[in-house]
Amino acid sequence: MKHNLYPQFKILLVDDEIAFLRSMSLTLEIQGFNHLMTCADPSQIPSLMETEDIGLVLLDLTMPKVSGQKVLAWLKEEYPNVCVIIISGVNQVNTAVECVKQGAFDYFVKTSDQNQILDGLKRAIRTQELTLENQALRAQILSNELEKPDAFANIITSDQTMWSAFRYIESIAKTRQPVLISGESGVGKELIANVIHDLSRCPGPLVSVNVAGVDDNVFADTLFGHARGAFTGADKTRLGLVEKAAGGTLFLDEIGDLSLASQVKLLRLLQEGEYYPVGSDKPKRMEARIVVATHQQLSQLQAEGKFRKDLFFRLKTHMVTIPPLRERLADLPLLIDHFMTLACKEMNKPSLTVPKSLSVNLSQYSFPGNARELKALIYDAVSQSTTDELNCAPFEPLFNREKAVDLTENTLLFPPHSPLPTLSNMADLLVEEAMKRAKSNQSLAARMLGISQPALSKRLKNMKENHGKNEKDT
């Protein structure tokens, strides 16, 4: 399997000592860094920077022809967004301070502990990735268009909040940072995870697991796998889901139900980028992107001591919140038509006509199960339909009949001795009531009133102007 290059940008190692370049490259490759370039002649740096996607430079100071400090000054002037780490044989505090003042991200001596250098390299990569993500995010927010609208084809919506989320997802999809998807049950969090994976263009698979109720031992074995002989019955090596998702995406659903012990293991995986299979003392490099989802409020769980604060902050690097269906009622007609089309196709039934009153009546329902609940209701209605119109019987229990006004009964709409309101006043009252029932959603209110959305918008504007004039006159 062809795994992703890590990091996504290239790392350039610059040193006149060929032996050091070889040993450092080998060390980094063993640690999972496989997007490396080497340069023994500093005069070649300008052409490499111009032609290659280099995001991080490991730079020696003492080199012939051009000193490392001159190269550092040139890099920070010409490529200020590129991280530079000095790795030098010069162990002088004044030199280190001067390099940092010039813009070096960090300074290490070649005799420094190898783990210390690797940790500094990981910090620089994370910083560079976040910088690139922020640049992409700003560019995407300024644009009102989606680059890959087809990726969102399975998510039916016209809601502007959802489209803003789509633009945000496009900007972060190609990063390696974790993504936290939050929203009530049934809003489509797994669909969002699929979109993130598709847009990431990762060659590896999307591997999903629901971690709710998984105990600590099962969690470690499921994610990290085990070595042969790790425990009784482990007669062969088992690959964990992290390894199966290599080069792709690992989706952990219901992360809010994860035990505290398992949270520690997930935190280490995210921090270190490596893990140990059960029964093994040899670490493996994580090559999957982590996406998690929850219907719970992690901030509240963290305040209650049920979710680790450090893990929460690690996961919330990128957050996608999906609003519930009751907050995007304009999507009701779209979703009804979409689910009905799917149901008719699966049941080999001809397309059915949807009563115009259905979306209006359903708008009064809170939909605790969101789109998933609506889909189940539509499928049930299609299965019970025997005519060319959708059978609305399955929806009847949802309608609040107590609040409905039955105009066929002898209901006194106006007291007999009170003056009648004008037609203009009645129209305004109807508009206000429709906007109230539609929770200020003009598209849905227009459907209730049987007029177009532009016509309703114009009427609301006139009502506002008339109200302002009346206030001014008084």
Side-chain angles (χ1 to χ4, degrees), residues 6-20:
Y6 175 71
Q8 292 180 328
F9 49 81
K10 292 182 179 179
I11 301 175
L12 177 63
L13 283 66
V14 182
D15 199 302
D16 61 307
E17 298 180 15
I18 303 297
F20 178 78

Side-chain angles (χ1 to χ4, degrees), residues 52-287:
E52 303 290 343
D53 180 24
I54 296 172
L56 175 60
V57 177
L58 304 186
L59 179 64
D60 184 26
L61 284 185
T62 307
M63 295 182 293
K65 299 180 182 179
V66 183
S67 71
Q69 283 186 283
K70 286 186 177 179
V71 174
L72 172 62
W74 179 83
L75 283 170
K76 299 316 295 182
E77 181 178 351
E78 297 294 328
Y79 298 92
N81 293 328
V82 173
C83 276
V84 181
I85 293 180
I86 303 297
I87 301 183
S88 173
V90 179
N91 187 9
Q92 295 179 357
V93 175
N94 291 339
T95 303
V97 172
E98 184 63 28
C99 288
V100 171
K101 285 183 178 179
Q102 283 186 262
F105 181 84
D106 215 332
Y107 186 104
F108 295 102
V109 180
K110 290 181 178 180
T111 56
S112 299
D113 179 71
Q114 188 180 91
N115 290 330
Q116 186 179 3
I117 296 176
L118 291 173
D119 287 343
L121 184 59
K122 292 176 184 177
R123 288 195 301 271
I125 289 173
R126 282 197 291 268
T127 300
Q128 188 69 350
E129 286 177 338
L130 288 174
T131 299
L132 295 174
E133 290 167 21
N134 288 335
Q135 291 173 353
L137 180 57
R138 285 195 296 268
Q140 193 66 37
I141 289 175
L142 292 174
S143 172
N144 291 322
E145 301 296 329
L146 294 175
E147 293 181 6
K148 301 287 184 180
D150 292 346
F152 300 89
N154 291 329
I155 305 176
I156 310 302
T157 183
S158 62
D159 184 75
Q160 288 304 310
T161 302
M162 291 289 288
W163 279 87
S164 296
F166 292 170
R167 290 192 290 272
Y168 177 73
I169 289 168
E170 276 197 335
S171 68
I172 65 171
K174 297 178 184 178
T175 72
R176 291 181 60 88
Q177 300 299 322
V179 180
L180 170 60
I181 307 170
S182 62
E184 296 179 4
S185 296
V187 294
K189 296 188 289 295
E190 190 165 357
L191 288 176
I192 296 295
N194 275 276
V195 170
I196 293 173
H197 174 71
D198 291 342
L199 289 174
S200 71
R201 297 180 183 175
C202 293
L206 171 66
V207 178
S208 303
V209 58
N210 190 317
V211 299
V214 176
D215 64 37
D216 182 45
N217 292 329
V218 174
F219 177 81
D221 191 30
T222 300
L223 259 65
F224 308 141
H226 62 249
R228 182 180 179 183
F231 48 83
T232 303
D235 54 350
K236 61 181 180 180
T237 299
R238 178 193 177 190
L239 298 182
L241 296 184
V242 176
E243 190 164 357
K244 290 181 179 179
T249 304
L250 178 62
F251 175 50
L252 306 178
D253 201 4
E254 301 300 348
I255 197 71
D257 295 323
L258 199 62
S259 69
L260 288 173
S262 294
Q263 290 177 31
V264 174
K265 297 183 179 181
L266 178 59
L267 176 63
R268 186 184 184 283
L269 177 69
L270 293 172
Q271 285 181 331
E272 305 299 329
E274 62 182 26
Y275 62 97
Y276 290 85
V278 177
S280 173
D281 58 359
K282 184 178 180 181
K284 290 188 176 183
R285 181 79 190 173
M286 179 180 69
E287 298 182 22

Side-chain angles (χ1 to χ4, degrees), residues 381-417:
V382 170
S383 66
Q384 296 185 40
S385 299
T386 56
T387 65
D388 58 355
E389 186 175 80
L390 184 68
N391 186 342
C392 291
F395 305 102
E396 292 296 334
L398 309 180
F399 303 152
N400 191 344
R401 298 179 181 179
E402 294 180 0
K403 293 183 179 181
V405 177
D406 187 357
L407 298 179
T408 62
E409 297 179 359
N410 294 324
T411 305
L412 294 177
L413 297 178
F414 311 106
H417 301 295

